[in-house]
Amino acid sequence: MRPSLLRYAAQALRRRDYSSAAAAAERKVAILGAAGGIGQPLALLMKLNPLVSSLSLYDIAGTPGVAADVSHINSPALVKGFVGEEQLGEALEGSDVVIIPAGVPRKPGMTRDDLFNINAGIVKGLCTAISKYCPNALVNMISNPVNSTVPIAAEVFKKAGTYDEKKLFGVTTLDVVRAKTFYAGKANVPVTEVNVPVVGGHAGITILPLFSQATPASNALSHEDIKALTKRTQDGGTEVVEAKAGKGSATLSMAYAGAVFADACLKGLNGVPDVVECSFVQSTVTELPFFASKVRLGKNGVEEVLGLGQLSEFEKEGLENLKGELKSSIEKGIKFAHAN
């Protein structure tokens, strides 16, 4: 890969200058599910990240080939592949950040809830291993349904006595990425300058983009435009599943979003100030035990869960409408963790 393309990829992840101390930190990142549709491009993007010194790629099959392929890229991270449950412990040991895209993807006609039984079991097993081999790692949960898999992970960690609410994240960054892209296109503003908070959860109506807080602000959007942008953001995953016509789900954009959030976690660990991203975390922002909102990241993971700010009437209505479904998904995860 040409140096210019390496630089471009780094810029795409919103790279900025680091102090020599931050850049010198040795950071190990593990990807669980690294041979899958999300895992492979995510492995590529994390290999390009200059904050990663060691990249551990794990899956139940296929990882030796992915690791060999990615390892040939001329960037500093050292890559190792691990395959099968007997190598999971070695893959995890010493990890600072663990990213979990493992599980089956969505297919046409499937909701995220249809994925539940398969992916819930996978997540439970992986989190049991994390609690044993790298209990202090920041855990970035991508496996769907995130509204349920994050509570499952929390219960597994609680049972193991390793739970730290500051170190468990549901990755909702793709909702933010979509909201930024769709808003920029409709408002005719530069997409690289756009910021849109997205709160709630990570499925359907639980995804609530706060376009009233979007920057740069635009007076060109009508109420109907905002409703349409909200619906498109909520249905973004379905849009991709249908466009791929049974041959996949949102893998490339999800890998990018996962890399952006992992990068933010690494910056926080390295002491870069004012790192703020949206994430589905343990929260007191609403009456629900988990909720996605803006989070300030730091050396211990979550430094501060930020409030929702001022909402429009449309957003207030959306907030109330999402709570029932999100509450049910959270409870379903907790129930699974205790029953199995």
Side-chain angles (χ1 to χ4, degrees):
M1 185 174 285
R2 298 189 306 274
S4 59
L5 190 51
L6 277 168
R7 285 196 296 272
Y8 178 81
Q11 288 165 2
L13 284 170
R14 298 176 302 135
R15 207 53 70 225
R16 65 187 183 197
D17 291 335
Y18 303 92
S19 69
S20 58
E26 296 285 314
R27 297 295 180 193
K28 177 178 177 179
V29 173
I31 300 176
L32 308 185
I38 297 169
Q40 290 196 43
L42 178 58
L44 167 65
L45 291 169
M46 296 314 296
K47 177 70 167 88
L48 298 178
N49 191 314
L51 302 182
V52 180
S53 57
S54 175
L55 183 60
S56 179
L57 305 180
Y58 170 83
D59 214 319
I60 57 172
T63 16
V66 176
D69 196 356
V70 172
S71 72
H72 291 180
I73 294 168
N74 58 322
S75 61
L78 297 177
V79 181
K80 290 185 179 180
F82 301 90
V83 62
E85 196 170 335
E86 65 279 0
Q87 294 184 7
L88 178 54
E90 188 181 355
L92 289 170
E93 281 178 343
S95 294
D96 296 288
V97 177
V98 179
I99 313 171
I100 311 179
V104 298
R106 290 177 70 193
K107 295 176 182 176
M110 289 179 74
T111 66
R112 284 185 171 87
D113 209 44
D114 293 330
L115 306 178
F116 179 81
N117 284 326
I118 298 172
N119 287 359
I122 292 170
V123 164
K124 187 175 181 184
L126 294 175
C127 288
T128 299
I130 291 169
S131 69
K132 182 176 180 181
Y133 294 104
C134 56
N136 296 315
L138 303 190
V139 177
N140 294 2
M141 185 68 69
I142 292 174
S143 302
N144 276 317
V146 165
N147 293 352
S148 299
T149 54
V150 169
I152 289 170
E155 294 304 308
V156 170
F157 295 149
K158 286 175 186 176
K159 184 177 180 181
T162 63
Y163 182 55
D164 183 346
E165 70 273 15
K166 296 180 178 180
K167 296 184 176 182
L168 176 60
F169 304 89
V171 179
T172 60
T173 313
L174 182 52
D175 302 324
V176 177
V177 167
R178 286 174 172 148
K180 289 178 178 180
T181 301
F182 302 157
Y183 175 86
K186 196 69 177 176
N188 196 28
V189 294
V191 68
T192 54
E193 296 175 11
V194 169
N195 196 20
V196 183
V198 181
V199 303
H202 185 55
I205 67 162
T206 71
I207 300 167
L208 182 61
L210 304 182
F211 288 114
S212 70
Q213 298 178 22
T215 56
S218 172
N219 296 321
L221 301 182
S222 67
H223 179 65
E224 291 306 310
D225 289 332
I226 296 298
K227 284 175 65 177
L229 285 171
T230 299
K231 185 76 164 64
R232 190 179 179 199
T233 303
Q234 292 171 337
D235 293 343
T238 301
E239 182 179 316
V240 176
V241 168
E242 291 176 351
K244 289 190 174 182
K247 293 189 167 82
S249 59
T251 53
L252 302 175
S253 53
M254 184 63 250
Y256 169 75
V260 167
F261 188 75
D263 180 65
C265 287
L266 290 166
K267 288 175 182 174
L269 287 174
N270 288 354
V272 176
D274 298 321
V275 179
V276 176
E277 294 286 343
C278 293
S279 182
F280 186 66
V281 296
Q282 182 173 311
S283 174
T284 57
V285 167
T286 69
E287 64 272 24
L288 300 174
F290 294 91
F291 198 82
S293 66
K294 289 195 289 187
V295 173
R296 180 172 286 110
L297 300 166
K299 293 184 177 181
N300 298 305
V302 175
E303 291 292 329
E304 184 182 7
V305 178
L306 302 174
L308 300 180
Q310 184 138 5
L311 306 183
S312 69
E313 289 305 313
F314 175 69
E315 290 160 356
K316 288 177 183 176
E317 182 181 340
L319 177 62
E320 292 309 310
N321 289 342
L322 71 82
K323 287 180 180 177
E325 182 175 322
L326 184 52
K327 182 174 186 284
S328 177
S329 296
I330 292 168
E331 289 174 348
K332 185 173 184 177
I334 293 171
K335 183 179 179 181
F336 178 89
H338 287 287
N340 293 273

